[in-house]
Each structure stands twice: as C-alpha cells, then as structure tokens.
Amino acid sequence: RNRAKAKSSGDAARQCGQGGGGGAGGGGGAGKVSFDLVLSDLESAELIAYREAFLGFDLDSNGFVPMHSIGLRNFITSHTIIEPSDLDPELMHFASLDDGVSQEHFLRILQERAVGEAAVIE
C-alpha cells in the first residue's frame, strides 16, 4: 500500500506542476491543487497542500521548523484535534527540541491527529 501511496503522490505532484524533488528545499512549481485532483484523489491533494504549507513555515529552508513557530502551531491546531493547551506534548512526541519539526513529522501529526468525520459533520 505504501508504494501505491508514493506512486499516487508522485502522480499528484506532476498533475500540480511540481517537480519530483522533495527534501528540505521542496519540489518547486506552483503547488496548486486542482479541483479535479481533489475529486479524484483527495489523499494526494491533501498531501500536496500540507507539503506546501510546511514549506511556508520552513523559513530557513533546512527541512525543519522550530516548535515555537506561530504559523506551524496555528496550522496544526486548526487542522487537527489537538487543542492549543496540548500542543507542546504532542510536538515533543513527534519532533526534537534541537531540530524542530521535520516535514515527515508534520505530515504524521496531521494524519494521526486528523479531525474525525463526526466532528466535521457537527
């Protein structure tokens, strides 16, 4: 399944005009997610959007965002079930005090602490 996801994500990146290079610097391109992609492959569209968001927080372009980044903190609390008062322990579970939050950790936080369907319906 992971290979299928990786292939799907790569296909989605090409549909959005992004390059294939990931890593600290990102893939380049506009990073826009098309409506067609959202309808056909929501998971890949979400992944692309989250990667673009992370790149916006990675001001040093070193692949890490400090845990105290206001933008990062606001994004996580507004896109997950994590309350602001619980954010520091959650970040420390995924990230390092020295390095901060990597893109991989950022994506894991968003995936593992996603807002449930019941909360969206309410």
Side-chain angles (χ1 to χ4, degrees), residues 114-122:
V115 176
E117 281 184 36
V120 171
I121 292 171
E122 294 173 359

mmCIF file of all heavy atoms in Angstrom, residues 114-122:
data_model
loop_
_atom_site.group_PDB
_atom_site.id
_atom_site.type_symbol
_atom_site.label_atom_id
_atom_site.label_comp_id
_atom_site.label_asym_id
_atom_site.label_seq_id
_atom_site.Cartn_x
_atom_site.Cartn_y
_atom_site.Cartn_z
ATOM 1 N N ALA A 114 -5.815 13.751 12.836
ATOM 2 C CA ALA A 114 -6.810 14.388 11.960
ATOM 3 C C ALA A 114 -8.146 14.528 12.677
ATOM 4 O O ALA A 114 -8.499 13.728 13.545
ATOM 5 C CB ALA A 114 -6.976 13.570 10.686
ATOM 6 N N VAL A 115 -8.898 15.523 12.263
ATOM 7 C CA VAL A 115 -10.244 15.718 12.780
ATOM 8 C C VAL A 115 -11.106 14.582 12.249
ATOM 9 O O VAL A 115 -11.077 14.270 11.058
ATOM 10 C CB VAL A 115 -10.797 17.076 12.312
ATOM 11 C CG1 VAL A 115 -12.232 17.260 12.755
ATOM 12 C CG2 VAL A 115 -9.929 18.204 12.840
ATOM 13 N N GLY A 116 -11.870 13.948 13.130
ATOM 14 C CA GLY A 116 -12.721 12.837 12.735
ATOM 15 C C GLY A 116 -13.942 13.297 11.964
ATOM 16 O O GLY A 116 -14.333 14.463 11.998
ATOM 17 N N GLU A 117 -14.569 12.372 11.257
ATOM 18 C CA GLU A 117 -15.752 12.689 10.451
ATOM 19 C C GLU A 117 -16.879 13.249 11.306
ATOM 20 O O GLU A 117 -17.573 14.172 10.912
ATOM 21 C CB GLU A 117 -16.244 11.441 9.730
ATOM 22 C CG GLU A 117 -15.462 11.097 8.496
ATOM 23 C CD GLU A 117 -16.060 9.898 7.781
ATOM 24 O OE1 GLU A 117 -17.297 9.749 7.768
ATOM 25 O OE2 GLU A 117 -15.272 9.118 7.244
ATOM 26 N N ALA A 118 -17.083 12.700 12.497
ATOM 27 C CA ALA A 118 -18.164 13.158 13.363
ATOM 28 C C ALA A 118 -18.007 14.628 13.702
ATOM 29 O O ALA A 118 -18.977 15.391 13.715
ATOM 30 C CB ALA A 118 -18.214 12.323 14.626
ATOM 31 N N ALA A 119 -16.774 15.061 13.956
ATOM 32 C CA ALA A 119 -16.530 16.472 14.288
ATOM 33 C C ALA A 119 -16.786 17.374 13.092
ATOM 34 O O ALA A 119 -17.274 18.489 13.245
ATOM 35 C CB ALA A 119 -15.102 16.639 14.779
ATOM 36 N N VAL A 120 -16.489 16.893 11.900
ATOM 37 C CA VAL A 120 -16.709 17.685 10.693
ATOM 38 C C VAL A 120 -18.204 17.850 10.446
ATOM 39 O O VAL A 120 -18.678 18.922 10.078
ATOM 40 C CB VAL A 120 -16.019 17.032 9.469
ATOM 41 C CG1 VAL A 120 -16.414 17.727 8.192
ATOM 42 C CG2 VAL A 120 -14.531 17.028 9.658
ATOM 43 N N ILE A 121 -18.960 16.796 10.677
ATOM 44 C CA ILE A 121 -20.407 16.824 10.436
ATOM 45 C C ILE A 121 -21.094 17.771 11.410
ATOM 46 O O ILE A 121 -22.024 18.472 11.047
ATOM 47 C CB ILE A 121 -20.992 15.406 10.526
ATOM 48 C CG1 ILE A 121 -20.466 14.571 9.354
ATOM 49 C CG2 ILE A 121 -22.515 15.433 10.516
ATOM 50 C CD1 ILE A 121 -20.787 13.111 9.422
ATOM 51 N N GLU A 122 -20.618 17.806 12.646
ATOM 52 C CA GLU A 122 -21.213 18.695 13.651
ATOM 53 C C GLU A 122 -20.960 20.087 13.273
ATOM 54 O O GLU A 122 -21.469 21.014 13.141
ATOM 55 C CB GLU A 122 -20.600 18.451 15.035
ATOM 56 C CG GLU A 122 -20.930 17.088 15.570
ATOM 57 C CD GLU A 122 -20.182 16.788 16.867
ATOM 58 O OE1 GLU A 122 -19.392 17.624 17.340
ATOM 59 O OE2 GLU A 122 -20.386 15.707 17.394
#
